[in-house]
Amino acid sequence: MSHNPDPERQVRRAVCPGSFDPVTNGHIDIISRASLLFDEVVVAVGINKSKSRARLFTAEERMSMLEKVCADFPNVTVAGFEGLLTTFCEERGIRAIVKGLRAVSDFDYELQMAQMNSSLVDVETVFIPTSPEYSFLASSLVKEVATFGGDVSGLIPTDVLTRLTERLAERAREDRA
Ligand code: ADP
């Protein structure tokens, strides 16, 4: 059978949502694999004002770190979103939400979220299993380990490590003042 690509086929767009505070090699693994499966991938950074004080980096900082990292992938862009992810998807004609699954513990919540989202709008959630070397990796753990002087250089990009080290030093100075 000959291959007959449909010229009318719609662009397949996906979103990789998260807070990315900061982006880790685990996120990059999922983003790069999603970029091979879809025509266009938008990395959507949650700008939740009520949570802003709990974040180490501002939304602008998180997005600028991601933009640098995603420059390697020609079909990946970075955007901020406020409010419902499903509204963001509707506005941009996105039909797929890509989530990385690290362990069974991620699954309960992600399944509930996926079902809720598809009940709200016409969107599917696609789960990509994390590469084993990143299955323990979470932004929160990276921050905790780095705060106490642990070596996280193999877990985040070099630029992100530089910014993280600076920010933690600033926070330590503020705490001492
Ligand atoms: P949130 O604040 O929603 O937990 P994160 O920025 O920590 O967001 O992560 C965003 C998404 O990236 C997660 O929902 C998950 O799908 C994926 N992810 C995070 N860390 C990893 C990892 N180590 N391996 C695979 N996927 C990951």
mmCIF file of all heavy atoms in Angstrom, residues 55-104:
data_model
loop_
_atom_site.group_PDB
_atom_site.id
_atom_site.type_symbol
_atom_site.label_atom_id
_atom_site.label_comp_id
_atom_site.label_asym_id
_atom_site.label_seq_id
_atom_site.Cartn_x
_atom_site.Cartn_y
_atom_site.Cartn_z
ATOM 1 N N ARG A 55 7.216 29.816 45.125
ATOM 2 C CA ARG A 55 8.158 29.507 44.039
ATOM 3 C C ARG A 55 9.523 30.121 44.319
ATOM 4 O O ARG A 55 9.624 31.205 44.885
ATOM 5 C CB ARG A 55 7.636 30.064 42.715
ATOM 6 C CG ARG A 55 6.267 29.552 42.343
ATOM 7 C CD ARG A 55 6.337 28.216 41.656
ATOM 8 N NE ARG A 55 5.019 27.727 41.339
ATOM 9 C CZ ARG A 55 4.557 26.535 41.695
ATOM 10 N NH1 ARG A 55 5.303 25.711 42.392
ATOM 11 N NH2 ARG A 55 3.352 26.155 41.352
ATOM 12 N N LEU A 56 10.567 29.434 43.838
ATOM 13 C CA LEU A 56 11.920 29.979 43.971
ATOM 14 C C LEU A 56 12.186 30.985 42.857
ATOM 15 O O LEU A 56 12.862 31.986 43.059
ATOM 16 C CB LEU A 56 12.930 28.828 43.915
ATOM 17 C CG LEU A 56 14.378 29.150 44.273
ATOM 18 C CD1 LEU A 56 14.491 29.764 45.664
ATOM 19 C CD2 LEU A 56 15.242 27.894 44.189
ATOM 20 N N PHE A 57 11.618 30.722 41.677
ATOM 21 C CA PHE A 57 11.829 31.591 40.520
ATOM 22 C C PHE A 57 10.495 32.200 40.071
ATOM 23 O O PHE A 57 9.452 31.539 40.158
ATOM 24 C CB PHE A 57 12.438 30.802 39.351
ATOM 25 C CG PHE A 57 13.832 30.307 39.629
ATOM 26 C CD1 PHE A 57 14.062 28.990 40.013
ATOM 27 C CD2 PHE A 57 14.927 31.167 39.524
ATOM 28 C CE1 PHE A 57 15.350 28.530 40.281
ATOM 29 C CE2 PHE A 57 16.217 30.719 39.792
ATOM 30 C CZ PHE A 57 16.433 29.400 40.165
ATOM 31 N N THR A 58 10.561 33.431 39.541
ATOM 32 C CA THR A 58 9.345 34.062 39.010
ATOM 33 C C THR A 58 8.960 33.351 37.707
ATOM 34 O O THR A 58 9.786 32.641 37.106
ATOM 35 C CB THR A 58 9.582 35.548 38.686
ATOM 36 O OG1 THR A 58 10.545 35.626 37.626
ATOM 37 C CG2 THR A 58 10.086 36.325 39.897
ATOM 38 N N ALA A 59 7.746 33.598 37.257
ATOM 39 C CA ALA A 59 7.293 32.986 36.000
ATOM 40 C C ALA A 59 8.213 33.395 34.857
ATOM 41 O O ALA A 59 8.566 32.565 34.008
ATOM 42 C CB ALA A 59 5.854 33.407 35.715
ATOM 43 N N GLU A 60 8.630 34.661 34.839
ATOM 44 C CA GLU A 60 9.509 35.150 33.763
ATOM 45 C C GLU A 60 10.845 34.400 33.793
ATOM 46 O O GLU A 60 11.371 34.008 32.751
ATOM 47 C CB GLU A 60 9.774 36.662 33.911
ATOM 48 C CG GLU A 60 8.589 37.546 33.615
ATOM 49 C CD GLU A 60 7.539 37.529 34.735
ATOM 50 O OE1 GLU A 60 7.884 37.186 35.891
ATOM 51 O OE2 GLU A 60 6.369 37.836 34.439
ATOM 52 N N GLU A 61 11.374 34.189 34.987
ATOM 53 C CA GLU A 61 12.656 33.477 35.103
ATOM 54 C C GLU A 61 12.518 32.020 34.665
ATOM 55 O O GLU A 61 13.374 31.490 33.943
ATOM 56 C CB GLU A 61 13.156 33.536 36.556
ATOM 57 C CG GLU A 61 13.625 34.914 36.983
ATOM 58 C CD GLU A 61 13.826 35.030 38.487
ATOM 59 O OE1 GLU A 61 13.211 34.272 39.268
ATOM 60 O OE2 GLU A 61 14.600 35.911 38.890
ATOM 61 N N ARG A 62 11.428 31.393 35.081
ATOM 62 C CA ARG A 62 11.217 29.983 34.719
ATOM 63 C C ARG A 62 11.075 29.851 33.202
ATOM 64 O O ARG A 62 11.616 28.933 32.585
ATOM 65 C CB ARG A 62 9.967 29.434 35.425
ATOM 66 C CG ARG A 62 10.194 29.199 36.916
ATOM 67 C CD ARG A 62 8.950 28.696 37.592
ATOM 68 N NE ARG A 62 8.078 29.754 38.044
ATOM 69 C CZ ARG A 62 6.757 29.746 37.994
ATOM 70 N NH1 ARG A 62 6.123 28.704 37.502
ATOM 71 N NH2 ARG A 62 6.046 30.750 38.429
ATOM 72 N N MET A 63 10.372 30.822 32.606
ATOM 73 C CA MET A 63 10.182 30.775 31.156
ATOM 74 C C MET A 63 11.486 31.053 30.420
ATOM 75 O O MET A 63 11.779 30.414 29.409
ATOM 76 C CB MET A 63 9.101 31.784 30.728
ATOM 77 C CG MET A 63 7.719 31.296 31.122
ATOM 78 S SD MET A 63 6.439 32.518 30.870
ATOM 79 C CE MET A 63 6.468 32.669 29.113
ATOM 80 N N SER A 64 12.285 31.981 30.940
ATOM 81 C CA SER A 64 13.525 32.286 30.208
ATOM 82 C C SER A 64 14.502 31.106 30.283
ATOM 83 O O SER A 64 15.200 30.819 29.308
ATOM 84 C CB SER A 64 14.128 33.620 30.666
ATOM 85 O OG SER A 64 15.153 33.427 31.581
ATOM 86 N N MET A 65 14.530 30.396 31.402
ATOM 87 C CA MET A 65 15.389 29.198 31.479
ATOM 88 C C MET A 65 14.909 28.143 30.484
ATOM 89 O O MET A 65 15.709 27.502 29.797
ATOM 90 C CB MET A 65 15.392 28.626 32.910
ATOM 91 C CG MET A 65 16.213 29.459 33.876
ATOM 92 S SD MET A 65 16.321 28.717 35.519
ATOM 93 C CE MET A 65 14.908 29.441 36.320
ATOM 94 N N LEU A 66 13.581 27.978 30.390
ATOM 95 C CA LEU A 66 13.023 26.989 29.454
ATOM 96 C C LEU A 66 13.291 27.372 28.001
ATOM 97 O O LEU A 66 13.590 26.512 27.172
ATOM 98 C CB LEU A 66 11.516 26.865 29.668
ATOM 99 C CG LEU A 66 11.077 25.879 30.731
ATOM 100 C CD1 LEU A 66 9.634 26.122 31.112
ATOM 101 C CD2 LEU A 66 11.253 24.433 30.256
ATOM 102 N N GLU A 67 13.168 28.681 27.719
ATOM 103 C CA GLU A 67 13.384 29.135 26.334
ATOM 104 C C GLU A 67 14.794 28.790 25.867
ATOM 105 O O GLU A 67 15.002 28.350 24.746
ATOM 106 C CB GLU A 67 13.115 30.635 26.213
ATOM 107 C CG GLU A 67 11.696 30.901 25.802
ATOM 108 C CD GLU A 67 11.194 32.267 26.196
ATOM 109 O OE1 GLU A 67 12.019 33.131 26.593
ATOM 110 O OE2 GLU A 67 9.969 32.462 26.123
ATOM 111 N N LYS A 68 15.744 28.977 26.757
ATOM 112 C CA LYS A 68 17.135 28.666 26.418
ATOM 113 C C LYS A 68 17.283 27.166 26.109
ATOM 114 O O LYS A 68 17.858 26.771 25.100
ATOM 115 C CB LYS A 68 18.018 29.044 27.602
ATOM 116 C CG LYS A 68 19.319 29.615 27.172
ATOM 117 C CD LYS A 68 19.987 30.359 28.279
ATOM 118 C CE LYS A 68 21.313 30.869 27.738
ATOM 119 N NZ LYS A 68 22.079 31.557 28.752
ATOM 120 N N VAL A 69 16.720 26.347 26.985
ATOM 121 C CA VAL A 69 16.813 24.892 26.841
ATOM 122 C C VAL A 69 16.078 24.418 25.586
ATOM 123 O O VAL A 69 16.569 23.562 24.844
ATOM 124 C CB VAL A 69 16.191 24.221 28.094
ATOM 125 C CG1 VAL A 69 15.911 22.765 27.855
ATOM 126 C CG2 VAL A 69 17.085 24.393 29.304
ATOM 127 N N CYS A 70 14.899 25.003 25.324
ATOM 128 C CA CYS A 70 14.051 24.533 24.216
ATOM 129 C C CYS A 70 14.514 25.058 22.866
ATOM 130 O O CYS A 70 13.991 24.625 21.830
ATOM 131 C CB CYS A 70 12.591 24.896 24.468
ATOM 132 S SG CYS A 70 11.918 24.000 25.873
ATOM 133 N N ALA A 71 15.465 25.972 22.861
ATOM 134 C CA ALA A 71 15.997 26.489 21.595
ATOM 135 C C ALA A 71 16.590 25.347 20.761
ATOM 136 O O ALA A 71 16.696 25.447 19.543
ATOM 137 C CB ALA A 71 17.045 27.558 21.870
ATOM 138 N N ASP A 72 16.954 24.250 21.420
ATOM 139 C CA ASP A 72 17.499 23.088 20.706
ATOM 140 C C ASP A 72 16.430 22.348 19.895
ATOM 141 O O ASP A 72 16.763 21.525 19.051
ATOM 142 C CB ASP A 72 18.086 22.071 21.707
ATOM 143 C CG ASP A 72 19.304 22.614 22.420
ATOM 144 O OD1 ASP A 72 19.903 23.568 21.894
ATOM 145 O OD2 ASP A 72 19.639 22.086 23.500
ATOM 146 N N PHE A 73 15.150 22.593 20.203
ATOM 147 C CA PHE A 73 14.070 21.855 19.539
ATOM 148 C C PHE A 73 13.275 22.824 18.665
ATOM 149 O O PHE A 73 12.569 23.693 19.184
ATOM 150 C CB PHE A 73 13.134 21.208 20.569
ATOM 151 C CG PHE A 73 13.857 20.433 21.636
ATOM 152 C CD1 PHE A 73 13.867 20.877 22.958
ATOM 153 C CD2 PHE A 73 14.556 19.269 21.335
ATOM 154 C CE1 PHE A 73 14.542 20.178 23.948
ATOM 155 C CE2 PHE A 73 15.228 18.565 22.323
ATOM 156 C CZ PHE A 73 15.226 19.019 23.624
ATOM 157 N N PRO A 74 13.377 22.684 17.326
ATOM 158 C CA PRO A 74 12.761 23.671 16.438
ATOM 159 C C PRO A 74 11.239 23.756 16.528
ATOM 160 O O PRO A 74 10.664 24.797 16.217
ATOM 161 C CB PRO A 74 13.201 23.217 15.035
ATOM 162 C CG PRO A 74 13.781 21.864 15.182
ATOM 163 C CD PRO A 74 14.153 21.656 16.607
ATOM 164 N N ASN A 75 10.567 22.684 16.950
ATOM 165 C CA ASN A 75 9.092 22.733 16.980
ATOM 166 C C ASN A 75 8.538 22.943 18.395
ATOM 167 O O ASN A 75 7.372 22.666 18.652
ATOM 168 C CB ASN A 75 8.491 21.456 16.347
ATOM 169 C CG ASN A 75 8.913 20.190 17.073
ATOM 170 O OD1 ASN A 75 9.930 20.184 17.779
ATOM 171 N ND2 ASN A 75 8.155 19.121 16.913
ATOM 172 N N VAL A 76 9.386 23.412 19.311
ATOM 173 C CA VAL A 76 8.943 23.633 20.697
ATOM 174 C C VAL A 76 8.976 25.125 21.033
ATOM 175 O O VAL A 76 9.964 25.801 20.754
ATOM 176 C CB VAL A 76 9.846 22.855 21.688
ATOM 177 C CG1 VAL A 76 9.445 23.149 23.135
ATOM 178 C CG2 VAL A 76 9.774 21.347 21.422
ATOM 179 N N THR A 77 7.879 25.616 21.614
ATOM 180 C CA THR A 77 7.837 27.004 22.090
ATOM 181 C C THR A 77 7.437 27.015 23.567
ATOM 182 O O THR A 77 6.956 26.007 24.090
ATOM 183 C CB THR A 77 6.814 27.851 21.297
ATOM 184 O OG1 THR A 77 5.557 27.172 21.331
ATOM 185 C CG2 THR A 77 7.250 28.060 19.858
ATOM 186 N N VAL A 78 7.627 28.152 24.195
ATOM 187 C CA VAL A 78 7.325 28.282 25.627
ATOM 188 C C VAL A 78 6.282 29.382 25.793
ATOM 189 O O VAL A 78 6.364 30.419 25.136
ATOM 190 C CB VAL A 78 8.611 28.651 26.402
ATOM 191 C CG1 VAL A 78 8.318 28.836 27.889
ATOM 192 C CG2 VAL A 78 9.689 27.589 26.198
ATOM 193 N N ALA A 79 5.296 29.136 26.654
ATOM 194 C CA ALA A 79 4.268 30.153 26.912
ATOM 195 C C ALA A 79 3.873 30.083 28.379
ATOM 196 O O ALA A 79 4.056 29.051 29.027
ATOM 197 C CB ALA A 79 3.047 29.901 26.031
ATOM 198 N N GLY A 80 3.317 31.182 28.884
ATOM 199 C CA GLY A 80 2.787 31.155 30.246
ATOM 200 C C GLY A 80 1.286 30.919 30.171
ATOM 201 O O GLY A 80 0.664 31.234 29.166
ATOM 202 N N PHE A 81 0.713 30.326 31.216
ATOM 203 C CA PHE A 81 -0.753 30.244 31.249
ATOM 204 C C PHE A 81 -1.259 30.457 32.669
ATOM 205 O O PHE A 81 -0.629 30.089 33.643
ATOM 206 C CB PHE A 81 -1.276 28.922 30.651
ATOM 207 C CG PHE A 81 -1.203 27.737 31.583
ATOM 208 C CD1 PHE A 81 -2.330 27.350 32.320
ATOM 209 C CD2 PHE A 81 -0.041 27.019 31.722
ATOM 210 C CE1 PHE A 81 -2.273 26.255 33.174
ATOM 211 C CE2 PHE A 81 0.029 25.926 32.585
ATOM 212 C CZ PHE A 81 -1.087 25.539 33.308
ATOM 213 N N GLU A 82 -2.421 31.130 32.718
ATOM 214 C CA GLU A 82 -3.073 31.406 33.991
ATOM 215 C C GLU A 82 -4.430 30.746 33.946
ATOM 216 O O GLU A 82 -5.051 30.687 32.878
ATOM 217 C CB GLU A 82 -3.263 32.923 34.107
ATOM 218 C CG GLU A 82 -2.536 33.512 35.286
ATOM 219 C CD GLU A 82 -2.799 34.997 35.426
ATOM 220 O OE1 GLU A 82 -2.633 35.714 34.418
ATOM 221 O OE2 GLU A 82 -3.151 35.409 36.528
ATOM 222 N N GLY A 83 -4.891 30.238 35.040
ATOM 223 C CA GLY A 83 -6.225 29.632 35.040
ATOM 224 C C GLY A 83 -6.189 28.209 34.527
ATOM 225 O O GLY A 83 -5.195 27.502 34.700
ATOM 226 N N LEU A 84 -7.254 27.812 33.837
ATOM 227 C CA LEU A 84 -7.387 26.412 33.447
ATOM 228 C C LEU A 84 -6.518 26.057 32.241
ATOM 229 O O LEU A 84 -6.516 26.774 31.233
ATOM 230 C CB LEU A 84 -8.843 26.103 33.091
ATOM 231 C CG LEU A 84 -9.849 26.012 34.234
ATOM 232 C CD1 LEU A 84 -11.238 25.750 33.668
ATOM 233 C CD2 LEU A 84 -9.468 24.911 35.223
ATOM 234 N N LEU A 85 -5.845 24.921 32.339
ATOM 235 C CA LEU A 85 -5.050 24.431 31.207
ATOM 236 C C LEU A 85 -5.962 24.125 30.017
ATOM 237 O O LEU A 85 -5.587 24.335 28.861
ATOM 238 C CB LEU A 85 -4.290 23.163 31.637
ATOM 239 C CG LEU A 85 -3.437 22.500 30.568
ATOM 240 C CD1 LEU A 85 -2.324 23.427 30.092
ATOM 241 C CD2 LEU A 85 -2.850 21.185 31.097
ATOM 242 N N THR A 86 -7.164 23.654 30.310
ATOM 243 C CA THR A 86 -8.076 23.292 29.219
ATOM 244 C C THR A 86 -8.492 24.530 28.405
ATOM 245 O O THR A 86 -8.699 24.434 27.195
ATOM 246 C CB THR A 86 -9.326 22.581 29.772
ATOM 247 O OG1 THR A 86 -9.817 23.319 30.895
ATOM 248 C CG2 THR A 86 -9.014 21.162 30.196
ATOM 249 N N THR A 87 -8.593 25.674 29.050
ATOM 250 C CA THR A 87 -8.922 26.916 28.328
ATOM 251 C C THR A 87 -7.762 27.270 27.406
ATOM 252 O O THR A 87 -7.955 27.636 26.244
ATOM 253 C CB THR A 87 -9.178 28.063 29.335
ATOM 254 O OG1 THR A 87 -10.149 27.632 30.267
ATOM 255 C CG2 THR A 87 -9.645 29.328 28.642
ATOM 256 N N PHE A 88 -6.538 27.122 27.930
ATOM 257 C CA PHE A 88 -5.332 27.370 27.130
ATOM 258 C C PHE A 88 -5.335 26.461 25.894
ATOM 259 O O PHE A 88 -5.055 26.898 24.781
ATOM 260 C CB PHE A 88 -4.110 27.099 28.023
ATOM 261 C CG PHE A 88 -2.779 27.303 27.370
ATOM 262 C CD1 PHE A 88 -2.162 28.548 27.377
ATOM 263 C CD2 PHE A 88 -2.111 26.240 26.759
ATOM 264 C CE1 PHE A 88 -0.917 28.736 26.781
ATOM 265 C CE2 PHE A 88 -0.877 26.417 26.160
ATOM 266 C CZ PHE A 88 -0.279 27.669 26.167
ATOM 267 N N CYS A 89 -5.682 25.191 26.099
ATOM 268 C CA CYS A 89 -5.708 24.225 24.987
ATOM 269 C C CYS A 89 -6.745 24.644 23.942
ATOM 270 O O CYS A 89 -6.467 24.613 22.741
ATOM 271 C CB CYS A 89 -6.034 22.824 25.503
ATOM 272 S SG CYS A 89 -4.718 22.101 26.473
ATOM 273 N N GLU A 90 -7.927 25.004 24.412
ATOM 274 C CA GLU A 90 -8.996 25.410 23.482
ATOM 275 C C GLU A 90 -8.579 26.617 22.663
ATOM 276 O O GLU A 90 -8.767 26.651 21.448
ATOM 277 C CB GLU A 90 -10.257 25.771 24.270
ATOM 278 C CG GLU A 90 -11.209 24.619 24.429
ATOM 279 C CD GLU A 90 -12.552 25.086 24.976
ATOM 280 O OE1 GLU A 90 -12.572 25.975 25.853
ATOM 281 O OE2 GLU A 90 -13.571 24.526 24.530
ATOM 282 N N GLU A 91 -7.990 27.601 23.343
ATOM 283 C CA GLU A 91 -7.609 28.850 22.656
ATOM 284 C C GLU A 91 -6.564 28.602 21.573
ATOM 285 O O GLU A 91 -6.510 29.322 20.585
ATOM 286 C CB GLU A 91 -7.040 29.850 23.672
ATOM 287 C CG GLU A 91 -8.114 30.489 24.532
ATOM 288 C CD GLU A 91 -7.545 31.270 25.716
ATOM 289 O OE1 GLU A 91 -6.308 31.281 25.915
ATOM 290 O OE2 GLU A 91 -8.357 31.834 26.455
ATOM 291 N N ARG A 92 -5.722 27.579 21.775
ATOM 292 C CA ARG A 92 -4.612 27.357 20.835
ATOM 293 C C ARG A 92 -4.798 26.149 19.918
ATOM 294 O O ARG A 92 -3.874 25.748 19.224
ATOM 295 C CB ARG A 92 -3.322 27.174 21.624
ATOM 296 C CG ARG A 92 -2.927 28.471 22.309
ATOM 297 C CD ARG A 92 -1.645 28.279 23.059
ATOM 298 N NE ARG A 92 -1.152 29.547 23.541
ATOM 299 C CZ ARG A 92 0.041 30.051 23.262
ATOM 300 N NH1 ARG A 92 0.862 29.398 22.483
ATOM 301 N NH2 ARG A 92 0.426 31.207 23.758
ATOM 302 N N GLY A 93 -5.970 25.561 19.954
ATOM 303 C CA GLY A 93 -6.219 24.397 19.093
ATOM 304 C C GLY A 93 -5.336 23.208 19.461
ATOM 305 O O GLY A 93 -4.884 22.469 18.574
ATOM 306 N N ILE A 94 -5.102 23.030 20.763
ATOM 307 C CA ILE A 94 -4.257 21.918 21.233
ATOM 308 C C ILE A 94 -5.154 20.767 21.682
ATOM 309 O O ILE A 94 -6.060 20.963 22.504
ATOM 310 C CB ILE A 94 -3.353 22.385 22.399
ATOM 311 C CG1 ILE A 94 -2.352 23.426 21.900
ATOM 312 C CG2 ILE A 94 -2.635 21.198 23.051
ATOM 313 C CD1 ILE A 94 -1.519 24.085 22.986
ATOM 314 N N ARG A 95 -4.887 19.565 21.140
ATOM 315 C CA ARG A 95 -5.741 18.407 21.461
ATOM 316 C C ARG A 95 -5.058 17.387 22.366
ATOM 317 O O ARG A 95 -5.667 16.385 22.726
ATOM 318 C CB ARG A 95 -6.159 17.707 20.155
ATOM 319 C CG ARG A 95 -7.017 18.568 19.240
ATOM 320 C CD ARG A 95 -8.461 18.574 19.702
ATOM 321 N NE ARG A 95 -8.962 17.210 19.861
ATOM 322 C CZ ARG A 95 -9.445 16.472 18.878
ATOM 323 N NH1 ARG A 95 -9.495 16.966 17.657
ATOM 324 N NH2 ARG A 95 -9.893 15.255 19.103
ATOM 325 N N ALA A 96 -3.791 17.620 22.708
ATOM 326 C CA ALA A 96 -3.083 16.628 23.539
ATOM 327 C C ALA A 96 -2.299 17.304 24.659
ATOM 328 O O ALA A 96 -1.618 18.303 24.438
ATOM 329 C CB ALA A 96 -2.133 15.805 22.668
ATOM 330 N N ILE A 97 -2.430 16.730 25.848
ATOM 331 C CA ILE A 97 -1.638 17.166 27.000
ATOM 332 C C ILE A 97 -0.629 16.049 27.264
ATOM 333 O O ILE A 97 -1.024 14.891 27.423
ATOM 334 C CB ILE A 97 -2.526 17.354 28.255
ATOM 335 C CG1 ILE A 97 -3.593 18.425 28.009
ATOM 336 C CG2 ILE A 97 -1.684 17.685 29.484
ATOM 337 C CD1 ILE A 97 -4.635 18.535 29.123
ATOM 338 N N VAL A 98 0.654 16.387 27.269
ATOM 339 C CA VAL A 98 1.675 15.358 27.510
ATOM 340 C C VAL A 98 2.159 15.465 28.953
ATOM 341 O O VAL A 98 2.546 16.542 29.411
ATOM 342 C CB VAL A 98 2.872 15.535 26.546
ATOM 343 C CG1 VAL A 98 4.013 14.608 26.945
ATOM 344 C CG2 VAL A 98 2.449 15.266 25.108
ATOM 345 N N LYS A 99 2.115 14.335 29.661
ATOM 346 C CA LYS A 99 2.625 14.302 31.030
ATOM 347 C C LYS A 99 3.632 13.164 31.164
ATOM 348 O O LYS A 99 3.437 12.089 30.590
ATOM 349 C CB LYS A 99 1.482 14.045 32.052
ATOM 350 C CG LYS A 99 0.364 15.040 32.076
ATOM 351 C CD LYS A 99 0.738 16.466 32.388
ATOM 352 C CE LYS A 99 1.283 16.831 33.729
ATOM 353 N NZ LYS A 99 0.301 17.127 34.749
ATOM 354 N N GLY A 100 4.677 13.417 31.922
ATOM 355 C CA GLY A 100 5.630 12.356 32.215
ATOM 356 C C GLY A 100 5.160 11.589 33.438
ATOM 357 O O GLY A 100 4.630 12.181 34.378
ATOM 358 N N LEU A 101 5.305 10.279 33.422
ATOM 359 C CA LEU A 101 4.937 9.473 34.595
ATOM 360 C C LEU A 101 6.206 8.905 35.203
ATOM 361 O O LEU A 101 6.941 8.170 34.537
ATOM 362 C CB LEU A 101 4.028 8.312 34.192
ATOM 363 C CG LEU A 101 2.547 8.570 34.016
ATOM 364 C CD1 LEU A 101 1.835 7.248 33.787
ATOM 365 C CD2 LEU A 101 1.933 9.299 35.207
ATOM 366 N N ARG A 102 6.461 9.257 36.449
ATOM 367 C CA ARG A 102 7.678 8.776 37.107
ATOM 368 C C ARG A 102 7.456 7.447 37.804
ATOM 369 O O ARG A 102 8.247 6.543 37.695
ATOM 370 C CB ARG A 102 8.171 9.810 38.127
ATOM 371 C CG ARG A 102 8.868 10.963 37.479
ATOM 372 C CD ARG A 102 9.038 12.106 38.413
ATOM 373 N NE ARG A 102 7.765 12.777 38.617
ATOM 374 C CZ ARG A 102 7.632 14.003 39.070
ATOM 375 N NH1 ARG A 102 8.698 14.679 39.423
ATOM 376 N NH2 ARG A 102 6.446 14.558 39.204
ATOM 377 N N ALA A 103 6.384 7.366 38.546
ATOM 378 C CA ALA A 103 6.138 6.156 39.334
ATOM 379 C C ALA A 103 4.644 5.992 39.503
ATOM 380 O O ALA A 103 3.859 6.870 39.136
ATOM 381 C CB ALA A 103 6.808 6.299 40.694
ATOM 382 N N VAL A 104 4.245 4.889 40.091
ATOM 383 C CA VAL A 104 2.816 4.630 40.305
ATOM 384 C C VAL A 104 2.203 5.763 41.122
ATOM 385 O O VAL A 104 1.052 6.145 40.923
ATOM 386 C CB VAL A 104 2.630 3.287 41.039
ATOM 387 C CG1 VAL A 104 1.156 2.978 41.241
ATOM 388 C CG2 VAL A 104 3.296 2.166 40.266
#
